[in-house]
Amino acid sequence: MDELTAWLLLLRAPSLDVEKLSLLLEKFGKASAALQAGATAWRELELASRTCSFLSTAAIDSVAIDRAWLEQPDHHLVSFDSIDYPPLLRHLSDAPLGLFVKGNPQLLRSPQLAIVGSRNPTPYGREIAESFAKHLTNCGLTITSGLAAGIDAASHRGALAGNSMTIAVCGTGLDIIYPRSSDTLAREIAARGALVSEFPPGTPPRKANFPQRNRIISGMSLGTLVVEATLQSGSLITARLAGDQGREVFAIPGSIHNPMAKGCHQLIRQGAKLVDSAEDILSELGPLAAVTPHLSQLDVANHPDSLVFLEPQLDKEYKILLDALGFEPLGVDQLVMRSGLKADAVASMLLMLELEGRIASFPGGLYVQAGFGK
C-alpha cells in the first residue's frame, strides 16, 4: 500500500484522533506501515474497537474518488506529518488528521488572522471587512475565513485586492462550492490563495460540518476578528472557539441601534479586544507573526488604505451633516431635524457624500457613515 492511500484511509477511520495517530506514527514511522501492522498491534496502542474494525476491512477502492481528485493540478493532501500542516492547528486535541487543499499548500504555514461576521452585513461592515483584510494582508498576515456570504466573502475579496494571501476553509468537499454564489470567488481564491477542507471530495454541505469548519478557521489563526454579528450569529461560535484555543479575539464596535453590532459588543464585554483600526491588531499580533510594524501617522499619506481613521477635510455644512448622521442608519427627515439644514440641501449633500464613498445607503432611504474617508 502506498503512503497516499494509507493516509486517505486513516482520515476516514472513526474515533482516530491526533493522539492515537501520533502513537501510530511514533511506533511504525509511516502511515502505510501503521496500516499494515494489523489488529493486534493496534489494540496494543489502545485504538478504539471501531477504529480497528474499520482499518481491518478498509478497501483501497473506498478512496478512489479522493485519489482521482488529488490527481488534478494544484490539488493536495496535507497530512498531519507534512511540513505544510498549519503549525498552530497541530497542537489542538481535535485537530484534523489531514487537510485537502486546492491552491497553495504552503500558505497554511503563514501567520494568519481569521475575519468572520454576519452573512447579511451592513454596507459599513462589508467595507470595513474588505479594507481591514486588504491592509493586513499587505502587512504580511494571511486572511482566513469561511467563504460564506457577507463578511467572510468581503474579507476574502479584500485580501485578494492586497497581497492575495487568503485561505477559505470550507464545510464541504472541495469539489462542491457552498454557497453557490461564492463560486467565482472560490475559483479566484484557489488560483491565488488556498481552499481548505478536512472533508473528502463529495461531502455535501451538512449543518454539522460548519462548527467543525469553524474550529479550523480559528485554530489556524493567531487571532479572530469579528466585524459584525448578531447575538445568534455563528461567528460568535468561532470567537468562542478562538478563546478556548488560547487565541486572541478582536471585535469592532458599532452603533447601539445596529443589531449587527450586538454580538461584537457582547464579545467586548466578555474580554475581546476592542478594535477601531488595523493598528490595534498589528500591535497585538505583529510580534507573534513577524509582520510589518504598524504604520505611523506620517506613513498614512502614502498608504491611504491603512485604516488609521483621519478627520476628513469637509466644508462646514458637510461636516455638520456627517456629525448629525453618525454611524446609525437615518433618513433624510431625521437628518434635517438633527442638522438644521434644508431638506433639498441635505438630499444633494447625501448624494455627493455617497459618490465620494463617505456614506453608504440602505434600503428604505436610510444612510450611514462609511467609517473612514477615501
Side-chain angles (χ1 to χ4, degrees):
M1 180 182 299
D2 65 273
E3 196 70 4
L4 176 59
T5 298
W7 270 108
L8 291 172
L9 291 172
L10 287 173
L11 297 188
R12 292 176 178 269
S15 301
L16 182 62
D17 58 20
V18 292
E19 180 183 0
K20 296 301 184 184
L21 174 68
S22 297
L23 291 176
L24 284 171
L25 295 178
E26 182 179 351
K27 184 172 180 63
F28 301 109
K30 299 192 302 181
S32 55
L35 274 183
Q36 293 167 351
T40 300
W42 301 331
R43 283 193 290 268
E44 288 177 356
L45 294 177
E46 299 182 350
L47 267 63
S49 58
R50 62 197 303 250
T51 306
C52 296
S53 176
F54 174 87
L55 295 179
S56 297
T57 59
I60 293 176
D61 290 348
S62 66
V63 295
I65 294 175
D66 301 1
R67 290 200 63 120
W69 185 86
L70 288 166
E71 289 172 359
Q72 299 176 54
D74 294 322
H75 289 197
H76 310 273
L77 176 68
V78 176
S79 57
F80 189 76
D81 65 346
S82 168
I83 190 174
D84 290 325
Y85 193 90
L88 293 179
L89 193 63
R90 190 188 300 277
H91 299 290
L92 301 184
S93 61
D94 60 349
L97 307 190
L99 295 167
F100 293 91
V101 178
K102 185 176 181 180
N104 180 7
Q106 295 180 358
L107 202 56
L108 276 61
R109 285 186 280 150
S110 62
Q112 298 167 46
L113 173 74
I115 302 182
V116 297
S118 172
R119 287 177 170 80
N120 299 289
T122 65
Y124 168 77
R126 184 178 291 107
E127 188 172 12
I128 285 293
E130 287 191 18
S131 299
F132 266 67
K134 180 180 179 182
H135 175 64
L136 291 168
T137 194
N138 283 337
C139 291
L141 285 171
T142 294
I143 302 302
T144 299
S145 198
L147 197 63
I151 295 299
D152 286 19
S155 302
H156 291 307
R157 291 191 183 98
L160 290 169
N163 280 347
S164 298
M165 297 192 302
T166 188
I167 296 171
V169 185
C170 303
T172 62
L174 294 184
D175 57 336
I176 299 172
I177 299 302
Y178 181 84
R180 291 183 179 179
S181 59
S182 294
D183 182 72
T184 301
L185 177 60
R187 292 175 188 274
E188 190 170 359
I189 293 171
R192 300 168 58 192
L195 298 176
V196 173
S197 179
E198 69 177 307
F199 302 108
T203 304
R206 303 185 184 101
K207 186 176 181 180
N209 293 359
F210 294 93
Q212 287 186 247
R213 174 205 64 178
N214 292 348
R215 88 188 193 289
I216 296 176
I217 293 173
S218 59
M220 292 199 302
S221 304
L222 292 163
T224 293
L225 170 65
V226 182
V227 176
E228 282 189 334
T230 65
L231 291 173
Q232 290 76 39
S233 173
S235 302
L236 300 190
I237 297 176
T238 309
R240 176 179 59 77
L241 289 168
D244 292 344
Q245 293 163 345
R247 311 292 195 259
E248 298 288 351
V249 179
F250 305 96
I252 294 179
S255 167
I256 60 173
H257 302 292
N258 181 5
M260 295 297 173
K262 292 188 180 298
C264 294
H265 293 168
Q266 176 174 286
L267 289 173
I268 292 168
R269 286 194 295 271
Q270 294 171 346
K273 293 179 172 62
L274 185 153
V275 170
D276 59 16
S277 76
E279 184 173 317
D280 296 331
I281 295 171
L282 291 174
S283 64
E284 290 289 335
L285 300 186
L288 297 174
V291 298
T292 303
H294 63 265
L295 296 175
S296 68
Q297 290 285 78
L298 184 62
D299 291 326
V300 172
N302 298 318
H303 297 81
D305 61 342
S306 67
L307 294 189
V308 178
F309 299 152
L310 300 180
E311 185 71 17
Q313 298 301 312
L314 296 169
D315 292 341
K316 180 179 179 181
E317 289 189 344
Y318 280 88
K319 181 67 167 59
I320 291 172
L321 183 59
L322 274 180
D323 288 343
L325 179 56
F327 295 98
E328 59 191 76
L330 294 176
V332 173
D333 291 343
Q334 291 169 295
L335 288 169
V336 168
M337 292 180 60
R338 283 191 178 188
S339 67
L341 300 170
K342 294 182 179 180
D344 56 348
V346 168
S348 175
M349 292 162 67
L350 288 171
L351 176 61
M352 292 300 298
L353 289 170
E354 186 173 7
L355 290 173
E356 291 178 1
R358 296 181 184 273
I359 67 172
S361 59
F362 281 74
L366 302 177
Y367 297 86
V368 66
Q369 279 200 41
F372 56 91
K374 289 187 176 178

